[in-house]
């Protein structure tokens, strides 16, 4: 955001160097990212001189060129070849002398040089107004009044103004500082507390506002008060659309706003002066002499000012005429026909307070990041609409000759009151880190137009102005106090003390680093998703109970309205981003948190998430590159993670959760350690995934609880092992994990390894609902060599257990 020092001085006389003002602005939370001196005319008309054409004749070698001699106040006139059709002897003109730099309308530089044009020497250029940045006319040279003094620098004759412009990096929460008046209020508060400044911000006087001829009223109705809590307007007739005066154009150009016409320029001026967007409707385009503030049906077409047909949402607030034709997307963008045109003579001038969330969603939906929308998104001041209309109406009367023909319409059914916040003195001291006297706290709050009322000896009630939409809590008020008090006045301790401690357990970050290193070495890339996400995504997917959402007041990106309740969806957004760019083979992981609302407060759960998609192998002649990743690929990754952490004791269950098509859960009782599987096809379709995605979610809380485990290494047995294989027919519902548990339960001492090495399914051979497993069993004893009889005895017990518990049929 740009702030003009000349503009600021209209409201607050600041007798300080520009550099010191820059430091103060940064100190009060309006960080100055740049400061430059600008001139009301680009280039400042340097090298441009007032001259008089003393001779003018035809160019001997070109019919359309003139050969002139121009007096620039020197002993001898200079010869200039001119192509303008209106050049004549005796004219007072503006001449760009040799060496002068001029600028095209697009901002490109070009330098005037001495040269020959069609064989005749030319030592300068007689300029048109557009060549000097003084207007847009290029029909001929700019002719000055006859009394213009010859030889005087043009910057002196044209009264070129200089200004200091600050580029401010305005944070999203500063709704009170989106205008020059807002910045002036902040500066005045700081100067009163820290520089004994006794002046006040001088608001423009609107006491002269009155209805000139009460002859025309426009009926206004608001159907959606949630989106539009306040709507005001006034009718002005007999206006003349023309160019704005220089002072207005200079103010606008200083903050990079292009002057257009007096009415449009006035609305832009009020926006940057008061943070109150205005919209002027051509009165003749308002059908039925009525304005209705409402939403239109989903899919309605609206042709906007940029001549684009936009498909509306039923959550776009529209300003409509009496026949419900959309004239403007409220607070965002105007329509092609309803705005001010060159032949407009009467207008309905609108000033409204729109809900920040509604405007943000419409602005984002249609990709219209207008200056008005940015103000409404941060939170406009609902108390300012009528004042802004009066200010604008008086300027229109002054600059366009308008007549005010209606009372101000003001629909404001439920007044938005100042927020009242309890502030404790000891809390102020505790958060700021230094003691500020009660009197000084009161002075600071009053300097910011905050009303105070004693509650107890230790606290006060503070009424916050309605332009500070972000100040809603005690800590926000304390932050305001600190800004004006001065960060540099908070003392720093001269000594820094610390203590050395040793923890036998590994800190959490060490575990994260170990896992990060493991996954990176396996070809994974770490990603970092946003903790904020759109609730509408979860509403569409229906995988999280909306009552568990943790909503946030995000004024800069209102569509990101909740903290992510889990990490699959935010990660899939990154997966989709890659899929759209034809990057299907993905190996991604992320450390992060999910945030939910529970019965006893807010809950933060930390996870390690892993994503796999695309082909298992890179394209190569050496191996199959068409096979896609599957469940066992991500299971293998989980096995490596658990092995790295020496986690071996857990239960395995089939995963039954709405986010997964199928999958597996590792757990200890009711405590889930890890869930992994294929992302459900409904989620994949809704998020437009281009291939199957496999997802794993590891609970870091459970991992940290087990992180003290150490890996134990035993000596390799010097006695040989023995292997036996069993082929068995089972019901398809039986899982290998059940067989493994049963077999280990028979003889944990001697059964060392169990492996499933073949699966066969054929209903014709095995029967309906059956499958065949081939399982190997490895036996050994650390103290002796096992005999065949001992192994056969164990195998018979295993067969019996399997037959009894899972109805296994052992195939011989």
């Amino acid at each position: 955001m740009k702030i003009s020092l000349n503009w600021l001085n209209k409201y607050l006389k600041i007798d300080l160097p520009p550099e010191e003002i820059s430091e103060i602005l940064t100190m009060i939370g309006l960080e100055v990212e740049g400061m430059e001196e600008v001139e009301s005319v680009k280039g400042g008309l340097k090298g441009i001189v007032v001259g008089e054409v003393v001779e003018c004749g035809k160019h001997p070698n070109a019919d359309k060129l003139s050969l002139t001699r121009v007096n620039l106040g020197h002993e001898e006139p200079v010869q200039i070849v001119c192509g303008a059709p209106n050049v004549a002897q005796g004219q007072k003109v503006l001449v760009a002398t040799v060496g002068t730099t001029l600028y095209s309308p697009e901002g490109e530089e070009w330098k005037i040089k001495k040269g020959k044009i069609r064989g005749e020497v030319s030592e300068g250029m007689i300029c048109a107004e557009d060549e000097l940045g003084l207007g847009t006319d290029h029909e001929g040279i700019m002719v000055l009044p006859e009394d213009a003094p010859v030889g005087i620098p043009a910057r002196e004759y044209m009264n070129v103004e200089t200004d200091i412009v600050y580029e401010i990096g305005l944070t999203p929460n500063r709704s009170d500082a989106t205008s020059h008046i807002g910045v002036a209020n902040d500066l005045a508060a700081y100067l009163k507390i820290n520089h004994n400044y006794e002046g006040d911000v001088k608001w423009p006087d609107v006491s002269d506002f009155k209805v000139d001829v009460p002859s025309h009223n426009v009926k206004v109705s608001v159907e959606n008060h949630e989106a539009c809590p306040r709507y005001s307007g006034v009718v002005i007739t007999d206006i003349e659309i023309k160019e704005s005066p220089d002072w207005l154009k200079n103010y606008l150009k200083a903050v990079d706003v292009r002057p257009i016409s007096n009415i449009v320029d006035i609305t832009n001026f009020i926006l940057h002066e008061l943070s109150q967007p205005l919209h002027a409707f051509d009165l003749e385009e308002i059908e039925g002499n009525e304005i209705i503030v409402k939403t239109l049906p989903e899919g309605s077409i609206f042709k906007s000012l940029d001549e684009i047909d936009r498909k509306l949402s039923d959550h776009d607030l529209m300003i409509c005429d009496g026949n419900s034709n959309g004239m403007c997307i409220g607070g965002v963008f105007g329509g092609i026909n309803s705005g001010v045109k060159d032949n407009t003579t009467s207008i309905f001038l609108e000033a409204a307070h729109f809900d920040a969330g509604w405007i943000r969603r419409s602005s984002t939906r249609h990709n219209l990041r207008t200056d008005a929308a940015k103000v409404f998104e941060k939170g406009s001041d609902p108390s300012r609409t009528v004042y802004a209309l009066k200010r604008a109406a008086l300027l229109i009367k002054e600059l366009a000759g308008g007549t005010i023909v209606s009372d101000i319409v003001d629909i404001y059914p439920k007044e938005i009151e100042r927020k009242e916040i309890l502030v404790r003195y000891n809390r102020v001291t505790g958060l700021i880190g230094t003691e500020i006297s009660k009197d000084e706290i009161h002075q600071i709050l009053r300097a910011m137009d905050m009303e105070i009322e004693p509650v107890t000896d230790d606290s006060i009630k503070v009424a916050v102005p309605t332009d500070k939409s972000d100040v809603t809590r005690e800590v926000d008020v304390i932050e305001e106090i600190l800004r004006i008090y001065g960060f540099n006045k908070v003392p720093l301790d001269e000594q820094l003390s610390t203590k050395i401690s040793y923890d036998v357990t590994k800190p959490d970050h060490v575990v994260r680093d170990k896992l990060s290193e493991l996954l990176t070495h396996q070809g994974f890339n770490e990603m970092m998703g946003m903790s904020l996400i759109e609730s509408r995504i979860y509403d569409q997917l229906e995988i999280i109970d909306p009552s568990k959402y943790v909503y946030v007041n995000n004024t800069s990106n209102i569509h990101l309205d909740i903290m992510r309740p889990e990490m699959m969806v935010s990660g899939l957004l990154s997966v989709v981003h890659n899929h759209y760019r034809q990057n299907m083979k993905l190996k991604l992981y992320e450390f992060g948190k999910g945030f939910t609302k529970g019965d006893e407060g807010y809950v933060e759960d930390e996870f390690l998430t892993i994503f796999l998609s695309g082909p298992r192998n890179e394209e190569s002649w050496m191996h199959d590159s068409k096979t896609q990743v599957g469940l066992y690929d991500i299971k293998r990754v989980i096995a490596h993670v658990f092995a790295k952490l020496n986690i071996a004791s857990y239960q395995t269950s089939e995963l039954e959760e709405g986010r997964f098509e199928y999958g597996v859960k590792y757990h200890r009782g009711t405590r889930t350690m890890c869930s992994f599987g294929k992302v459900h096809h409904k989620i994949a379709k809704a998020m437009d995934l281009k291939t199957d995605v496999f997802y794993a979610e590891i609970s870091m809380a459970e991992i940290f609880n087990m992180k003290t485990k150490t890996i134990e290494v035993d000596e390799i047995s010097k006695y040989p092992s023995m292997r036996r294989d069993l082929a068995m027919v089972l019901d398809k519902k039986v899982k290998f994990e059940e067989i493994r548990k049963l077999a280990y339960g028979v003889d944990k001492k001697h059964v060392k390894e169990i492996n499933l090495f073949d699966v066969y399914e054929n209903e014709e051979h095995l029967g309906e609902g059956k499958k065949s497993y081939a399982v190997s069993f490895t036996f050994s004893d650390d103290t002796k060599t096992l005999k065949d009889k001992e192994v056969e005895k164990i195998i018979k017990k295993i067969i019996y257990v399997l037959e009894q518990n899972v109805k296994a049929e052992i195939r011989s």
Side-chain angles (χ1 to χ4, degrees), residues 218-225 228 231 289-295 317-322 324 348 409 411:
V218 172
K219 182 181 178 182
V220 178
S221 60
V222 177
E223 294 185 5
N224 189 327
H225 291 291
C228 180
Y231 190 90
N289 197 43
E290 181 180 5
I291 283 180
I292 307 171
V293 184
K294 60 187 293 188
T295 55
L317 185 68
M318 300 298 296
I319 313 301
C320 303
D321 61 24
S324 293
F348 176 83
V409 178
I411 300 177

Side-chain angles (χ1 to χ4, degrees), residues 544-558:
I544 298 290
D545 183 354
S547 66
K548 294 184 177 181
Y549 293 167
V550 178
Y551 287 95
V552 293
N553 182 25
N554 186 0
T555 57
S556 60
N557 293 287
I558 292 176

Side-chain angles (χ1 to χ4, degrees), residues 15 19 115 518 638-639 684:
D15 188 21
E19 294 77 13
L518 169 71
I638 302 303

Side-chain angles (χ1 to χ4, degrees), residues 425-437 440-441 478 481-482 485-492:
Y425 296 118
N426 62 351
R427 186 66 171 156
V428 175
T429 300
L431 283 180
I432 292 179
T434 189
E435 187 169 351
I436 305 176
S437 70
E440 189 166 6
I441 290 173
I478 296 172
I481 293 171
L482 176 57
Y485 175 75
F487 292 94
N488 59 336
K489 290 163 64 175
V490 178
L492 295 175

Side-chain angles (χ1 to χ4, degrees), residues 524 572 574-576 578-579 582-588 610-618 627-630 633-634 679 689-695:
F524 281 83
L572 288 178
S574 297
V575 173
V576 169
N578 281 273
H579 282 186
Q582 300 181 338
N583 185 15
M584 301 297 173
K585 181 175 171 56
L586 297 175
K587 300 174 75 174
L588 304 172
I610 300 170
F611 294 83
L612 285 178
S613 79
R616 179 175 295 152
N617 301 309
E618 297 287 354
T627 303
Q628 302 289 300
V629 295
D633 293 287
I634 201 161
V679 174
L689 298 175
K690 304 303 182 184
T691 186
D692 290 344
V693 177
F694 289 84
Y695 170 70

Side-chain angles (χ1 to χ4, degrees), residues 363-498:
S363 172
T364 304
R365 189 180 296 119
H366 298 289
N367 194 26
L368 292 169
R369 308 296 295 135
T370 60
D371 288 342
K374 291 175 184 177
V375 169
F376 284 125
E377 288 167 13
K378 286 182 171 65
S380 65
D381 185 353
S383 70
R384 206 166 285 179
T385 61
V386 171
Y387 175 84
L389 282 178
K390 291 180 178 179
R391 168 71 165 149
L394 291 174
L395 284 173
I396 290 172
K397 288 187 64 176
E398 177 186 345
L399 304 181
T403 302
I404 301 170
V405 297
S406 78
D407 290 318
I408 291 179
V409 178
D410 187 26
I411 300 177
Y412 196 16
K414 185 178 180 181
E415 184 176 352
I416 298 174
E417 304 279 355
R418 289 183 174 222
K419 292 182 288 289
E420 294 186 342
I421 301 171
L422 182 69
V423 176
R424 296 160 292 177
Y425 296 118
N426 62 351
R427 186 66 171 156
V428 175
T429 300
L431 283 180
I432 292 179
T434 189
E435 187 169 351
I436 305 176
S437 70
K438 294 180 181 179
D439 286 342
E440 189 166 6
I441 290 173
H442 298 168
Q443 289 172 11
I444 292 171
L445 292 173
R446 291 192 180 102
M448 292 188 289
D449 191 32
M450 294 192 185
E451 300 169 358
I452 59 176
E453 178 184 334
V455 177
T456 66
D457 290 342
D458 301 320
S459 64
I460 52 175
K461 185 190 295 181
V462 178
V464 180
T466 51
D467 66 342
K468 294 181 179 291
S469 61
D470 65 302
V471 181
T472 59
R473 307 165 298 168
E474 181 185 34
V475 66
D476 298 327
V477 176
I478 296 172
E479 181 185 355
E480 293 292 287
I481 293 171
L482 176 57
R483 283 196 311 105
I484 303 303
Y485 175 75
F487 292 94
N488 59 336
K489 290 163 64 175
V490 178
L492 295 175
D493 291 337
E494 295 181 358
Q495 293 183 337
L496 178 65
S497 60
T498 184

